[in-house]
Amino acid sequence: MTTVLEPGLQVNVVALRPQRKQLGMIEMKRLTLELDPLYRIPKEGVRLSRHAWLGYLYELFNFSNGRRTLGEIARALSHEVGPIDVNVLARMSRDLERMGYLQFA
């Protein structure tokens, strides 16, 4: 599965290997302030709860050890939290990378 993450750049997102740049908790307040408008999306006329996307983002960060691929992480999160598209995790990974929490191995 490929997706366009940046104009003109196609990447096999399933094979990306995100890696945490720090141990422990990430700043949830900063994540909420910066990312909430991007991830609270309307679903059948109802907006998701403020914290619905935070669970996925937090667990994505926890699973990001540089060895697991986004495809593997998506499968694990689908069992732990609920179904999620790997392209959404790729977008979340890029946001965490931009904020300085992740890098790609």
Side-chain angles (χ1 to χ4, degrees), residues 14-61:
V14 174
L16 289 175
R17 296 180 186 274
Q19 182 175 10
R20 293 182 301 267
K21 292 176 84 174
Q22 69 180 48
L23 295 176
M25 299 275 296
I26 50 180
E27 300 172 58
M28 300 305 269
K29 188 175 200 175
R30 180 177 174 210
L31 292 176
T32 301
L33 290 173
E34 289 190 35
L35 300 179
D36 189 56
L38 300 175
Y39 291 106
R40 268 199 322 155
I41 55 174
K43 184 176 180 182
E44 299 174 8
V46 178
R47 292 180 68 81
L48 294 174
S49 118
R50 175 174 293 281
H51 303 289
W53 60 271
L54 276 172
Y56 287 106
L57 200 77
Y58 183 76
E59 291 302 329
L60 166 62
F61 182 77

Side-chain angles (χ1 to χ4, degrees), residues 84-96:
I84 187 161
D85 185 273
V86 70
N87 289 307
V88 174
L89 289 183
R91 181 177 161 195
M92 288 179 167
S93 296
R94 292 291 182 200
D95 286 333
L96 289 174

Side-chain angles (χ1 to χ4, degrees), residues 1-6 9-18 60 64 67-75 84-94 104-105:
M1 174 182 295
T2 59
T3 189
V4 177
L5 294 177
E6 297 173 20
L9 177 65
Q10 288 196 345
V11 177
N12 181 5
V13 295
V14 174
L16 289 175
R17 296 180 186 274
L60 166 62
S64 297
R67 293 183 300 276
R68 293 184 186 100
T69 66
L70 276 181
E72 293 168 338
I73 295 170
R75 280 190 298 279
I84 187 161
D85 185 273
V86 70
N87 289 307
V88 174
L89 289 183
R91 181 177 161 195
M92 288 179 167
S93 296
R94 292 291 182 200
F104 291 92

